[in-house]
Amino acid sequence: MASSPARVTAQDAAYWAGRSVGTIWRWASEGRITVYGQGKNARYDVMEIPPARRDPDTRELIEPAPAPPVTGRRRILDAA
């Protein structure tokens, strides 16, 4: 059974990766992560984004996630 993507906003993806929202947008434009939808409805699959290292108690950022590899630009425009 294929797992469904864990789609989140750019802001949530940025927190997950320990990076800025601008970095998430750049990764999407470079083809490192898939964009689902467009504009304010754009979502990103956190399963494609490595997590940042954070302190388990305070959740403070220890190390941001490395950039995912370039796999080709993908924008999926769906009605959902």
Side-chain angles (χ1 to χ4, degrees):
M1 175 193 270
S3 63
S4 64
R7 297 179 190 173
V8 298
T9 64
Q11 184 174 359
D12 291 337
Y15 177 81
W16 174 260
R19 302 290 187 131
S20 70
V21 170
T23 298
I24 300 302
W25 293 336
R26 181 172 48 83
W27 286 353
S29 71
E30 291 172 348
R32 295 178 185 277
I33 57 176
T34 305
V35 180
Y36 295 87
Q38 59 187 356
K40 290 183 179 181
N41 294 321
R43 297 294 181 264
Y44 305 87
D45 183 358
V46 293
M47 302 312 290
E48 296 179 358
I49 304 170
R53 284 188 45 225
R54 294 186 179 275
D55 181 279
D57 296 323
T58 65
R59 304 305 300 154
E60 186 174 328
L61 182 63
I62 296 172
E63 182 180 10
V70 175
T71 58
R73 189 167 184 192
R74 292 168 291 173
R75 178 177 296 274
I76 299 172
L77 301 174
D78 57 8

